[in-house]
């Protein structure tokens, strides 16, 4: 009889739960609205699918899948640099089960700071205990106000900077702009204030971003050097697993991302993931990555190398790393 009673009880529970009164079906629940989306960089994957796939926080289903998952301010931020390899690093890191990251760039500490930390937190994905919340916005590294603002949020925030040969980075930056505005002046003409005298135009952002030592000085006013990890954009291409090993150690994560996660795509000239986050298919970065650079006058390239050399040497001393850019 006991077993019969239990069987009848559980059978009724499923069919009766949807009734508010005898014979009256409960009104359907309205679907929860999607959170607002942020615009990503052109050609980059939107976080729309990621946001739609996440269960509603207030439902029993979400409690089952997310447990005590909550939205937290990021414990780690990729702060730079533009055209250094930040998108690749973020995509690679998202393979790790203990890393949860915003897909699009929030631009909170440079463009949206007046919206407040509550707005910023709402953009973050839900995380479980032990998982790390991350975001990446490369323009933070060159934004004067960003270090103080991030420090004000949390002095313990871990910062990651992906750096690349500043000459190659400048050409890549120009190439991206050229793809959107084909009628812009030549790289050579934009590089100099006066080509005859060889005076470099440091007001041009493509040149100015690569003076890494100058920007780093601003960050060291608010963060100790040991709280900033410098990732080589060149090594991220040659040895992605090696660089990801350093990043995982820095974040206090188990080394889960290894050589087995990557293959080299000869067409693009970049490493790709054998399986991306939430997918069983290989994944390479979008068509906006790995563009063919225009031919640049080698005399101009050499002048730029001469210009950057003292700044590079200082950057090596400040970080304790020789990136081999000369």
């Amino acid at each position: 009889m006991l077993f019969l009673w239990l069987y009848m009880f559980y059978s009724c529970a499923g069919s009766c739960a949807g009734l508010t009164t005898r014979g009256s079906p409960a009104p359907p629940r309205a679907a929860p609205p999607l959170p607002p989306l942020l615009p990503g960089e052109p050609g980059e994957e939107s976080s729309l699918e990621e946001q739609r796939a996440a269960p509603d926080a207030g439902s029993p289903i979400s409690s089952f899948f997310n447990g005590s998952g909550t939205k937290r301010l990021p414990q780690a931020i990729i702060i730079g640099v533009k055209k250094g390899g930040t998108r690749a690093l973020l995509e690679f890191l998202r393979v790790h089960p203990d890393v949860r990251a915003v897909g699009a760039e929030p631009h909170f500490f440079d463009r949206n700071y007046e919206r407040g930390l509550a707005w910023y937190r709402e953009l973050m994905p839900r995380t479980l205990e032990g998982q790390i919340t991350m975001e990446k916005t490369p323009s933070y590294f060159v934004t004067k106000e960003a270090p103080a603002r991030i420090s004000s949020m949390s002095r313990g925030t871990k910062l990651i900077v992906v750096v690349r040969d500043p000459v190659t980075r400048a050409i890549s930056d120009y190439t991206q702009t050229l793809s959107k505005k084909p009628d812009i002046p030549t790289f050579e003409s934009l590089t100099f204030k006066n080509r005859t005298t060889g005076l470099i135009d440091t007001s041009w952002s493509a040149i100015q971003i690569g003076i890494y030592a100058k920007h780093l000085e601003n960050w060291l006013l608010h963060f100790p050097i040991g709280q900033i990890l410098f990732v080589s954009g060149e090594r991220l291409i040659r040895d992605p697993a090696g660089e990801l090993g350093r990043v995982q150690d820095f974040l206090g994560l188990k080394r889960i991302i290894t050589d087995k996660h990557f293959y080299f795509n000869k067409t693009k000239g970049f490493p790709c993931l054998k399986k991306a986050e939430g997918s069983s298919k290989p994944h390479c970065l979008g068509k906006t990555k790995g563009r063919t650079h225009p031919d640049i006058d080698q005399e101009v390239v050499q002048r730029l190398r001469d210009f950057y050399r003292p700044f590079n040497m200082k950057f090596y001393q400040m970080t304790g790393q020789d990136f081999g850019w000369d």
Side-chain angles (χ1 to χ4, degrees):
M1 288 295 294
L2 176 62
F3 288 114
L4 178 61
W5 182 85
L6 289 173
Y7 174 78
M8 293 176 65
F9 175 79
Y10 284 113
S11 297
C12 180
S15 59
C16 299
L19 303 177
T20 53
T21 60
R22 184 176 299 226
S24 300
R29 291 184 181 179
L34 289 174
L37 296 179
L38 288 173
E41 291 181 353
E44 292 185 346
E45 299 81 356
S46 168
S47 57
L48 175 60
E49 291 76 16
E50 179 184 3
Q51 294 183 42
R52 280 181 172 163
D56 174 36
S59 70
I61 294 177
S62 74
S63 297
F64 176 78
F65 283 105
N66 284 334
S68 59
T70 56
K71 293 189 176 186
R72 299 180 175 91
L73 292 170
Q75 298 102 322
I77 304 176
I78 301 174
I79 59 173
V81 299
K82 180 183 179 184
K83 307 309 296 179
T86 60
R87 172 56 58 182
L89 178 61
L90 184 70
E91 292 300 315
F92 296 163
L93 273 175
R94 290 173 76 177
V95 172
H96 200 291
D98 289 334
V99 171
R100 297 282 287 135
V102 183
E105 295 174 1
H107 283 281
F108 175 65
F109 295 105
D110 57 354
R111 302 178 191 171
N112 295 301
Y113 193 63
E114 72 285 351
R115 293 176 179 261
L117 286 173
W119 177 87
Y120 184 47
R121 182 189 287 111
E122 191 59 29
L123 301 177
M124 299 299 130
R126 295 186 179 278
T127 54
L128 303 175
E129 193 66 33
Q131 290 184 316
I132 292 176
T133 303
M134 291 188 67
E135 70 117 317
K136 78 106 176 171
T137 304
S139 53
Y140 290 163
F141 189 63
V142 297
T143 300
K144 188 175 181 180
E145 299 81 9
R149 289 172 174 177
I150 295 176
S151 177
S152 178
M153 176 187 73
S154 172
R155 293 182 179 179
T157 306
K158 293 185 177 182
L159 309 173
I160 301 175
V161 187
V162 188
V163 288
R164 181 184 183 188
D165 182 331
V167 178
T168 308
R169 198 221 65 82
I171 297 172
S172 181
D173 198 334
Y174 172 80
T175 303
Q176 176 175 285
T177 305
L178 184 65
S179 69
K180 302 172 186 177
K181 301 177 181 179
D183 56 343
I184 62 171
T186 64
F187 180 88
E188 290 84 351
S189 63
L190 291 170
T191 297
F192 299 100
K193 283 186 176 179
N194 186 321
R195 187 165 181 178
T196 303
T197 62
L199 184 62
I200 303 293
D201 188 357
T202 57
S203 67
W204 184 29
S205 63
I207 300 295
Q208 197 257 351
I209 290 172
I211 309 175
Y212 303 139
K214 176 184 175 182
H215 303 302
L216 181 57
E217 286 177 343
N218 190 31
W219 287 89
L220 294 181
L221 296 175
H222 302 273
F223 291 93
I225 192 72
Q227 211 165 305
I228 308 174
L229 179 70
F230 300 92
V231 174
S232 165
E234 288 83 10
R235 287 197 295 267
L236 191 60
I237 294 173
R238 293 195 310 266
D239 180 20
E243 284 300 278
L244 264 294
R246 294 179 60 240
V247 176
Q248 290 172 96
D249 291 347
F250 175 71
L251 296 175
L253 297 169
K254 183 178 179 181
R255 284 199 177 196
I256 290 177
I257 306 172
T258 61
D259 282 324
K260 68 181 181 181
H261 289 90
F262 301 98
Y263 73 95
F264 192 82
N265 186 305
K266 293 181 180 179
T267 302
K268 292 188 71 68
F270 283 97
C272 300
L273 289 167
K274 291 180 180 178
K275 293 181 181 180
E277 179 199 31
S279 172
S280 60
K281 298 179 180 180
H283 172 69
C284 286
L285 297 179
K287 62 182 180 180
T288 62
K289 307 300 178 182
R291 295 186 184 95
T292 301
H293 291 178
D295 291 329
I296 306 297
D297 187 329
Q298 287 305 300
E299 179 188 354
V300 174
V301 171
Q302 188 56 51
R303 288 197 180 189
L304 273 177
R305 294 208 175 281
D306 294 340
F307 166 77
Y308 279 121
R309 187 172 295 110
F311 296 109
N312 291 344
M313 294 301 109
K314 184 176 181 180
F315 185 67
Y316 295 171
Q317 292 176 339
M318 296 171 76
T319 61
Q321 298 182 52
D322 184 340
F323 291 90
W325 292 326
D326 214 15

